[in-house]
Amino acid sequence: NKLRRWQSRGNRWLTHPKVLTYYRGMHHTKEKGDLGVLKAQLDMYEQGYTILNPVTEHAPFDLVAYKDKQFWRVQVKFKSVDKTGGITVHFRSCWADKNGTHMQQVDKNEIDLYCVYCPDTDECYYLDPKSYKRSVTLRVEAPRNNQLRHVKLATDFRRVP
């Protein structure tokens, strides 16, 4: 079981029984997104940010964070660890409607910060989307080939830059 394997390595998980049960049964992307936004709000609040919520769901960002006279437009993503031990973040927006599934690259001028909530580690990771092209992979586990160069460890992205 993936959960027990991660727990045995000393990683933090969603440990409250109700939250863990909720996550295990979660399928709908809206519910995952809502949980990601809540975790991001809490994490940024604990880092000293004032959290502002847009009145609409049609904004290109999920929340605005304010600290030291600076506003940050934050897009939140809910991403699990993949089978290679990484979290890959694509800078695109996906949606489905009666005409099918659509993908569009994010306008990086409308978003100042990506917050990636990972339920497997119960942590938020922060990225400046302008620093990357189409995607970036954060490593939660060390690469199996022991590569050290150009590896982005997730723990290095725990704080808002």
Side-chain angles (χ1 to χ4, degrees):
N1 179 312
K2 189 175 178 181
L3 173 64
R4 287 192 182 87
R5 211 173 351 147
W6 275 89
Q7 284 175 327
S8 69
R9 294 183 186 150
N11 290 298
R12 258 182 54 202
W13 281 79
L14 298 169
T15 53
H16 190 278
K18 287 184 180 179
V19 174
L20 186 56
T21 302
Y22 177 74
Y23 169 65
R24 282 186 178 155
M26 189 182 303
H27 295 288
H28 194 273
T29 56
K30 176 78 171 108
E31 291 174 344
K32 289 179 180 181
D34 289 347
L35 178 59
V37 169
L38 286 170
K39 290 290 189 168
Q41 289 171 330
L42 176 61
D43 192 61
M44 293 185 85
Y45 175 79
E46 288 175 343
Q47 291 186 46
Y49 287 83
T50 299
I51 306 303
L52 308 168
N53 294 308
V55 177
T56 179
E57 288 193 9
H58 302 290
F61 46 86
D62 294 309
L63 58 98
V64 175
Y66 177 79
K67 182 178 179 183
D68 299 330
K69 299 181 182 179
Q70 184 173 2
F71 290 95
W72 297 80
R73 296 167 296 179
V74 183
Q75 174 67 46
V76 180
K77 295 291 183 186
F78 181 105
K79 297 292 288 184
S80 296
V81 176
D82 64 24
K83 62 184 176 183
T84 67
I87 302 168
T88 300
V89 180
H90 298 278
F91 300 110
R92 65 182 181 209
S93 180
C94 302
W95 72 95
D97 61 18
K98 65 180 180 176
N99 298 316
T101 303
H102 310 276
M103 281 188 244
Q104 181 177 5
Q105 292 300 311
V106 168
D107 182 350
K108 295 179 183 179
N109 293 317
E110 293 184 335
I111 299 170
D112 302 310
L113 188 66
Y114 258 67
C115 173
V116 181
Y117 171 67
C118 177
D120 302 317
T121 61
D122 194 28
E123 301 276 353
C124 290
Y125 306 101
Y126 298 93
L127 303 162
D128 177 354
K130 294 176 186 80
S131 299
Y132 307 97
K133 293 182 181 178
R134 292 180 171 255
S135 66
V136 63
T137 299
L138 304 180
R139 302 292 311 178
V140 174
E141 294 180 4
R144 292 187 183 124
N145 65 0
N146 296 320
Q147 177 182 342
L148 297 175
R149 295 183 66 195
H150 307 293
V151 172
K152 293 172 180 53
L153 298 176
T155 54
D156 295 338
F157 294 85
R158 281 285 302 123
R159 306 285 299 173
V160 174

